[in-house]
Every structure is written in structure tokens, then in C-alpha cells.
Amino acid sequence: MARAADSSDFTVEARDDEILRFLYQHNPWWAKKPIAEAKVKPFKRRDYYKIVDRLADDKILALIGPRQVGKTTIVYQLIEKLLTEDGINAQNIFFLSLDDPYLNVSVKNLERIFELYATNILKRPLDALKEKGAERIYVFLDEIQSVDNWEVILKRWYDLGYKMKFVITGSSSVSIVDGASEALVGRIHPQIVLPMKFLEYIRFKEGDIADLVKSNNKRMRTALKQR
């Protein structure tokens, strides 16, 4: 029996089926399962509406901001939109959390992961994504700064002409900006995601501001009539 791989060498020693099982956990829609409600919040902040239009172009979309600011939530909302509103084939959407210690992803084994995805989920080689009429693949890579030299492999895939839309998130603005200004110049669109503004927070806690104002005005008129 093969030994269980520890977190330091998982993608080096693990069998293909172990990696695929892990990828299915990250991508439940491949098995026609819904995204967990805790990950797809109904409230959409303004950043979401700025970002969603960028899904249509070819540039790498980079969401940059501190941890816990809501980048991953926006990513899952984008995935939900692709699945439910745009009718994108579930197998054409790939999400991977790169800071997961179980995978210990590097540039080398990231290529292995993509080959497994192409062979077992897409059922065709990556080179098929360069063919005329190939369906677009949406690739979401969370916490990209966790992989050393990440910009090198993204530049390679981008320049090979694969029909892929990359959406990456990063907590290290320096790492992302440096990568964008050097290897990925002209290929990437950085989008800063900041903590919620006050009005957004009110919307998140209380609902639509207009509705809140109407509700308050109604309560005030009712109170005045009772005097």
C-alpha cells in the first residue's frame, strides 16, 4: 500500500487519484454539487460589479488586497454567476487555493495539476485549448503569491494562446504588482479590493439603503401621527 503523503511533499509523492480527490473538494460543481452557502454570500459589494465585466476580456484579472477583505468571496460569486447565469460548463471552471498546506504547490507541480485537470476533467489535452472553436476555460487561483515565480508560468500559458481566462487573488500587493510590471506587462489587469466602505457596510448589515431610508421615514411619519 502506498504511504500517505505528508503536506511537505504531497504533489511530488501523491498518486494522481489523491490529487484529483483533493481537486474535487475545491471544485464541487464538477460533481454537480452546489457551492457551500458560507462561501457564496448573497450580498455583492461594489467591487464585484466592477470585476464581473472583466470576465469577458482576455487579460489576467488580479484581485489584490489584504487577507479577509473578501477576495475569495468575490471569486466564488463570480463562479456562481458563470454556472447559473452564463451557463458555463461546470468542467470549464477550475478553482485552486494555492496556500493550502496539503498541496504545497510549486511552479513544477502546478503544471502537473493542470495536466491532471485537462486529462481527467476536460478530457482533452491542454493544447486543444488553442484550437479554433475551443470553449473558454476559467481558472481561479487563490493566494497566488504562495507560489514562487508564479508570474513565469502564467506568462507562459498566456503566451501559448490557450483559451483560458485567469483570475488570481493575492494578499501581497508588492508581489502582484512586481509580477505585473515585469513578466506580465500588458497581460494583466490589477483590481484593488479594499475593506468595505461605510455605505457598503450599512447595505451589508441593513439591506438596500433606499429601502432603509423609506422604512425610517415611514416609522417617523407613523410616530408623528400618533402624537
Side-chain angles (χ1 to χ4, degrees), residues 17-157:
D17 63 323
E18 290 178 305
I19 296 177
L20 283 169
R21 184 166 58 250
F22 183 86
L23 294 181
Y24 267 97
Q25 293 173 356
H26 276 258
N27 299 266
W29 45 90
W30 294 347
K32 298 182 179 180
K33 296 179 181 178
I35 305 172
E37 289 185 12
K39 294 180 178 179
V40 186
K41 297 180 174 60
F43 173 79
K44 293 181 176 67
R45 49 189 300 179
R46 288 186 178 182
D47 288 311
Y48 168 86
Y49 296 101
K50 294 178 183 177
I51 291 164
V52 71
D53 290 337
R54 289 283 176 179
L55 289 177
D57 65 39
D58 294 328
K59 283 190 176 182
I60 298 165
L61 175 58
L63 311 186
I64 307 169
R67 288 182 180 272
Q68 306 300 319
V69 79
K71 303 184 302 296
T72 305
T73 295
I74 292 175
V75 163
Y76 278 116
Q77 289 173 334
L78 294 174
I79 292 173
E80 181 79 353
K81 177 188 183 299
L82 291 171
L83 289 168
T84 61
E85 297 180 28
D86 298 346
I88 302 299
N89 187 329
Q91 279 64 41
N92 291 355
I93 301 173
F94 178 43
F95 173 86
L96 185 61
S97 178
L98 296 172
D99 65 346
D100 193 310
Y102 195 49
L103 271 186
N104 190 35
V105 179
S106 67
V107 166
K108 181 178 180 180
N109 52 39
L110 185 57
E111 293 216 35
R112 180 188 175 195
I113 290 170
F114 266 88
E115 290 291 347
L116 287 173
Y117 166 63
T119 302
N120 295 275
I121 306 302
L122 295 178
K123 308 293 186 183
R124 57 188 185 274
L126 286 174
D127 282 346
L129 298 178
K130 294 189 289 185
E131 296 175 359
K132 185 177 180 180
E135 294 181 350
R136 172 178 278 199
I137 307 301
Y138 295 85
V139 179
F140 296 85
L141 302 175
D142 201 25
E143 298 298 346
I144 193 76
Q145 79 285 338
S146 303
V147 179
D148 292 335
N149 299 314
W150 59 271
E151 66 276 11
V152 175
I153 193 167
L154 284 195
K155 179 181 183 296
R156 176 173 171 271
W157 285 335

Side-chain angles (χ1 to χ4, degrees), residues 43 45 47 69 194-202 204:
F43 173 79
R45 49 189 300 179
D47 288 311
V69 79
L194 298 173
M196 284 189 200
K197 297 179 176 65
F198 176 72
L199 289 180
E200 281 191 314
Y201 180 76
I202 294 297
F204 174 68

